[in-house]
Amino acid sequence: MTPPAGSAPRADSGLAPEEAPLGAGAVASPPRPAVRAVRPVVGTVSVPGSKSLTNRALLLGALAEGTTVVEEALWSEDTRRMVEGLRALGFTVETDLAGGRLVVHGAAGRVPAVEAVVDAGDAGTVARFLTAVAACGHGRCVVDGSARMRQRPIGGLVEALRALGGDLDAPTGCPPVHVRGRGLAGGRAAVRAARSSQFLSALLMAAPLARSPVELEVQGTLPAAPFVEMTVRVMAAFGVTVERPHPAVFRVAPQRYRARRYRVEPDASSASYFFAAAAVTAGRVEVPGLRPDSPQGDLAVLEVLARMGCAVRWTADGVEVSGPARLRGVDADLGAMPDMTPTLAALAPFADGPVRIRGVAVVRHHESDRLRALAQELRRLGQEVVEHDDGLEVHPRPLRPAVVETHGDHRLAMAFAVTGLRAEGLLLRGAECVAKTFPDFFERLEALVEGGGQTPR
């Protein structure tokens, strides 16, 4: 069960040809010229379903009694990894990619496999969530991933699972994690979640499977807290109640998840790049399917865009953003929505004053060290950047042509594509990494720029 040193495990996934790995084994392509916008972009863009909601629904469907149908599901590298990981743990997941549906046959709280290797690739939700699920089973499992995943922290999750009776270890504090499943006894655990809110989400989703009630107490500041609220809401949709007697305390009694039809709403993180496209070109873009009561915390980026001078209007179908003639500089704490850091950084060169981003130290442990990578690439484009421990300060300067490195990070690739709408001579190296969460991002952006109107779905 121990993978070869220095490599992530690879196993026959049993995927049908139409489910072939997105980008797996692909040869790095030449730098991709950014799409240029010669006029304001105007149109409606349908974005794929939320990755965060898709992966949570898949997981809870697997733990539920009955068969769950996940509709409008995202199919991307991250969600493929979740499907493969669940299959490795013995769950049955069917795909209807043409219909945008994933069908999960629940095992009623059991983890079927007695021997498993889960390859999370670059997907943090897969590594963290399936580690917690494997600890609830009664078998041996190794959870591993890419070279970058082996640098991403998981020790806080492992410690909390041990406190609840789990038998597992991660000697480096990062994957690989070796799980000797014997179920979770329950009890109380302190959660050091400063490195990732996914630790707490993983524990919450596994908690109903414990033999006795679970109490989780968060120590320190919880980053990206709206993602935990999202987890609690999805758990409720599958029939499980989470009590919260104190802002830092979560209690979950032993309960059963119930299967259901679950419709995934559009991904707010993906939508942010099209809102930013409107902002940077003084255009107007509508994304249908989003609602003000969405559980996705990244929609709060609309408030930041409004402070920068954008007009935000909720419509009967979704939300519309119109950009101003010139964006205003802003000082923004993005601690509740750290994934929006690249989006805001991409807009900074076009502001009329400095753009300060705070409260996002956690993004140093994402697909790249996002703060360092953003600072490096913005400087390459001629910007003056001050890098802080928890953020960036960007002083706008004239843009200059450059080859921008994506650092294998999907959010950097999409964010700098927005910068490229108004930056002459910007090329993106490694742009294919958008397959992680948004495989046809560039096609949708090009369709919007070329003519507006409804982009392909």
Side-chain angles (χ1 to χ4, degrees):
M1 295 304 296
T2 302
S7 66
R10 291 288 183 269
D12 181 7
S13 66
L15 291 177
E18 70 272 15
E19 303 171 52
L22 298 166
V27 176
S29 59
R32 180 185 187 119
V35 180
R36 289 293 308 282
V38 297
R39 57 184 178 274
V41 297
V42 177
T44 300
V45 183
S46 293
V47 302
S50 162
K51 181 261 292 193
S52 298
L53 289 171
T54 297
N55 274 356
R56 284 164 172 78
L58 284 170
L59 177 63
L60 299 188
L63 299 178
E65 294 178 322
T67 298
T68 290
V69 179
V70 184
E71 299 176 330
E72 303 295 335
L74 171 67
W75 187 251
S76 70
E77 181 68 12
D78 271 19
T79 55
R80 179 186 69 82
R81 293 283 184 180
M82 180 60 83
V83 168
E84 286 188 336
L86 289 171
R87 287 173 172 167
L89 290 171
F91 299 102
T92 300
V93 184
E94 301 172 16
T95 61
D96 172 14
L97 303 187
R101 301 189 320 154
L102 299 172
V103 181
V104 191
H105 298 278
R110 294 184 308 105
V111 180
V114 295
E115 293 277 337
V117 175
V118 171
D119 180 0
D122 279 333
T125 53
V126 177
R128 279 77 178 255
F129 294 178
L130 294 190
T131 291
V133 169
C136 295
H138 290 82
R140 299 175 70 86
C141 178
V142 176
V143 180
D144 205 351
S146 65
R148 177 59 182 171
M149 184 57 68
R150 288 185 168 196
Q151 300 172 342
R152 296 181 66 181
I154 202 167
L157 173 60
V158 169
E159 290 174 8
L161 287 168
R162 283 177 177 164
L164 297 175
D167 184 3
L168 67 167
D169 61 79
T172 68
C174 303
V177 184
H178 298 264
V179 184
R180 297 163 291 276
R182 60 184 188 187
L184 295 181
R188 184 181 180 280
V191 186
R192 295 188 300 107
R195 294 289 185 90
S196 176
S197 67
Q198 291 172 1
F199 297 175
L200 180 55
S201 285
L203 292 161
L204 285 169
M205 289 188 287
L209 278 61
R211 293 187 289 274
S212 63
V214 169
E215 180 173 290
L216 303 170
E217 182 174 354
V218 179
Q219 294 185 333
T221 301
L222 178 66
F227 282 93
V228 175
E229 300 298 335
M230 173 193 291
T231 298
V232 171
R233 287 179 63 169
V234 180
M235 290 172 67
F238 281 81
V240 165
T241 300
V242 177
E243 297 179 0
R244 197 167 182 180
H246 181 276
V249 176
F250 298 78
R251 290 178 183 161
V252 185
Q255 298 169 68
R256 290 282 192 179
Y257 288 111
R258 297 192 299 272
R260 56 163 295 165
R261 283 187 172 270
Y262 187 89
R263 182 176 294 275
V264 177
E265 65 181 50
D267 193 290
S269 308
S270 296
S272 75
Y273 308 110
F274 297 99
F275 299 149
V280 82
T281 66
R284 186 178 71 255
V285 173
E286 181 176 11
V287 176
L290 292 170
R291 296 287 180 267
D293 62 350
S294 166
Q296 298 183 76
D298 284 349
L299 274 179
V301 74
L302 295 170
E303 300 170 11
V304 180
L305 292 176
R307 290 170 54 199
M308 297 182 79
C310 295
V312 177
R313 184 173 71 92
W314 288 97
T315 70
D317 296 323
V319 62
E320 179 186 86
V321 173
S322 300
R326 182 72 186 273
L327 290 167
R328 294 194 292 265
V330 69
D331 188 326
D333 186 333
L334 301 186
M337 48 176 164
D339 280 347
M340 294 298 94
T341 300
T343 307
L344 185 54
L347 295 177
F350 308 103
D352 63 5
V355 171
R356 176 72 160 94
I357 300 170
R358 302 176 184 273
V360 291
V362 67
V363 303
R364 292 191 181 278
H365 308 287
H366 285 191
E367 286 81 347
S368 66
D369 178 340
R370 285 182 176 161
L371 294 180
R372 180 165 297 177
L374 286 166
Q376 176 180 314
E377 303 312 319
L378 286 167
R379 290 178 184 130
R380 201 187 302 273
L381 289 165
Q383 305 306 291
E384 180 183 336
V385 185
V386 180
E387 182 180 344
H388 300 275
D389 288 342
D390 75 333
L392 299 172
E393 186 173 336
V394 184
H395 296 263
R397 299 290 184 264
L399 285 158
R400 63 188 182 210
V403 177
V404 170
E405 302 287 345
T406 64
H407 300 260
D409 191 326
H410 60 130
R411 300 218 178 277
L412 267 65
M414 290 185 277
F416 280 115
V418 172
T419 307
L421 293 172
R422 283 187 52 195
E424 186 174 354
L426 190 154
L427 290 86
L428 292 166
R429 192 191 308 278
E432 60 273 9
C433 64
V434 299
K436 187 174 192 292
T437 53
F438 201 157
D440 63 345
F441 168 77
F442 287 104
E443 289 77 8
R444 299 196 193 206
L445 182 63
E446 288 169 4
L448 177 66
V449 169
E450 288 173 2
Q454 181 70 42
T455 61
R457 193 174 175 81

